Amino acid sequence: MAVLIGASVMAMAAPASAAEIYASLSGAGTARTWYNRQTVEVCDTDMDNHSVAGEYYRSANPSNLLTKWNHTGSSTCASSGEGSSVTKLRVREQQIAGEDRYGSWAY
């Protein structure tokens, strides 16, 4: 019985790993977190000459909107540096004439 209780306490003390976040904007690109939500990767999936970005918030400064742009063209990805855990993420597509397009927030 003591072994069973000890195993239960150890299981509760182990940190839960947060699932990675995936976001997309149809016809534009994708964004995802990796390395335990510490890095953001933004990929351009359309050959339309419109840059894409990942917009995100980190746990260390939850009111500061961060943006990682990918200006390198279709079928390419760009990554942010490491930082505190990303709490939410969305894809943004730059428009040449008009307002940018935004995907939904992913958590």
Side-chain angles (χ1 to χ4, degrees), residues 45-88:
T45 59
D46 196 18
M47 296 175 54
D48 61 1
N49 294 320
H50 294 186
S51 294
V52 294
E55 293 190 330
Y56 57 101
Y57 291 91
R58 291 192 182 272
S59 59
N61 195 350
S63 62
N64 187 24
L65 175 65
L66 301 169
T67 305
K68 176 59 187 173
W69 282 100
N70 178 355
H71 294 294
T72 55
S74 179
S75 301
T76 64
C77 298
S79 296
S80 71
E82 291 180 28
S84 64
S85 181
V86 173
T87 58
K88 64 182 181 176

Side-chain angles (χ1 to χ4, degrees), residues 5-67:
I5 293 170
S8 297
V9 171
M10 291 290 287
M12 290 188 308
S17 62
E20 301 296 349
I21 304 173
Y22 295 89
S24 65
L25 178 59
S26 179
T30 61
R32 71 178 182 118
T33 62
W34 54 283
Y35 194 59
N36 293 319
R37 291 189 175 199
Q38 294 179 359
T39 303
V40 171
E41 179 181 66
V42 183
C43 300
D44 190 337
T45 59
D46 196 18
M47 296 175 54
D48 61 1
N49 294 320
H50 294 186
S51 294
V52 294
E55 293 190 330
Y56 57 101
Y57 291 91
R58 291 192 182 272
S59 59
N61 195 350
S63 62
N64 187 24
L65 175 65
L66 301 169
T67 305

